[in-house]
């Protein structure tokens, strides 16, 4: 018979793989930024928020805080590296010194906060339970804030009746990620992992329901836009041909072969 710990380990490894691909999901955006050599209107906040989330979860998984959580450390440690790469690229291609300073200050504030939290927990909390509760509560707050961010996108979907800016793949992978980490935390019950990932699962499920609801209307809107673009191209081409014909007619008189004088009133 397979032991619960073995199942938990397998789920944790699967969770690591899926979370890794979630961390890589902004990669196309940064490829675009590198090609254009500008961040344009993109905000650094999602990457700063994810960095903070990974920092506190790495602290939570440390043996002196919450033992037997190696798989929590591995994926969040990888997440820290990936988010730092994104932030560095943002700083390189950012327009304006003010924005750069702001991003650097936020990163420093996050590092100072986590360092202070680590010092506070290790000096004042003397049991694993108390340390896990303090750090876990902080993780819970940041996780809920992260999972609340798709609400803006869902509101836009309902308003526009279009899922064009809510990628199916991202929603589906988020659902799988939430289910696996919830199952992982249920085997050796950990409320600080169960609660945020349950909320994440629910959020992703709602996104997929919205996707199914508004998929057809999205395709209709896209087709209408393409039709309007095609029609405008036809009109422009038609006007261009008409102007050429008119110009040719005005250039010479068919009878005399000379320039036609302007008509005077």
């Amino acid at each position: 018979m397979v032991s619960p710990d073995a199942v938990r380990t397998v789920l944790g490894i699967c969770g690591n793989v899926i979370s890794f691909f979630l961390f890589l999901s902004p990669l196309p955006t940064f490829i675009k930024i590198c090609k254009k050599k500008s961040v344009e209107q993109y905000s650094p906040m999602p990457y700063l928020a994810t960095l903070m989330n990974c920092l506190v979860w790495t602290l939570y998984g440390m043996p002196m805080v919450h033992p037997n959580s190696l798989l929590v450390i591995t994926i969040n440690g990888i997440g820290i590296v990936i988010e730092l790469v994104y932030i560095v690229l943002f700083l390189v291609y950012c327009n304006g010194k003010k924005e750069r300073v702001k991003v650097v200050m936020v990163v420093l504030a996050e590092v100072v906060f986590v360092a202070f939290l680590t010092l506070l927990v290790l000096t004042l909390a003397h049991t694993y339970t108390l340390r896990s509760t303090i750090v876990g509560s902080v993780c819970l707050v940041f996780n809920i804030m992260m999972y609340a961010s798709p609400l803006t996108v869902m509101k836009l979907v309902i308003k526009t009746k279009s899922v064009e800016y809510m990628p199916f793949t991202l929603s589906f992978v988020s659902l799988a990620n939430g289910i696996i980490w919830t199952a992982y935390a249920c085997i050796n019950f950990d409320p600080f992992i169960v609660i945020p990932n349950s909320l994440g699962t629910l959020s992703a499920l709602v996104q997929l329901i919205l996707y199914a609801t508004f998929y057809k209307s999205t395709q209709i809107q896209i087709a209408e836009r393409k039709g309007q673009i095609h029609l405008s191209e036809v009109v422009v081409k038609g006007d261009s041909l008409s102007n050429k014909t008119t110009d040719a007619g005005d250039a010479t008189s068919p009878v005399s072969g000379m320039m036609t004088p302007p008509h005077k009133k």
Side-chain angles (χ1 to χ4, degrees), residues 92-163:
V92 170
Y93 295 110
C94 181
N95 301 319
K97 189 178 177 181
K98 272 189 178 180
E99 190 69 19
R100 285 193 184 94
V101 171
K102 182 181 174 183
V103 171
V104 170
M105 291 302 291
V106 171
V107 171
L108 287 174
E110 290 180 353
V111 172
V112 169
F113 175 81
V114 174
F116 178 74
L117 180 63
T118 305
L119 184 65
L120 188 71
V121 166
L122 295 180
T123 53
L124 298 180
H126 302 292
T127 63
Y128 291 134
T129 304
L130 185 56
R131 288 173 181 175
S132 296
T133 303
I134 294 168
V135 180
S137 299
V138 175
C139 292
L140 191 60
V141 171
F142 283 110
N143 245 123
I144 290 172
M145 285 169 65
M146 279 193 66
Y147 281 127
S149 61
L151 291 173
T152 307
V153 179
M154 287 189 270
K155 183 182 176 182
L156 181 66
V157 168
I158 295 167
K159 186 179 178 181
T160 61
K161 296 183 179 179
S162 171
V163 292

Side-chain angles (χ1 to χ4, degrees), residues 4 30 41 58 75 100 232-233:
F30 279 91
Q41 299 301 315
T58 301
I75 189 55
R100 285 193 184 94
S232 64
E233 286 176 353

Side-chain angles (χ1 to χ4, degrees), residues 32-33 36-43 90 93-95:
K32 185 179 174 183
I33 286 171
K36 292 189 174 183
K37 295 184 178 180
S38 172
V39 297
E40 297 179 314
Q41 299 301 315
Y42 289 107
S43 170
F90 194 93
Y93 295 110
C94 181
N95 301 319

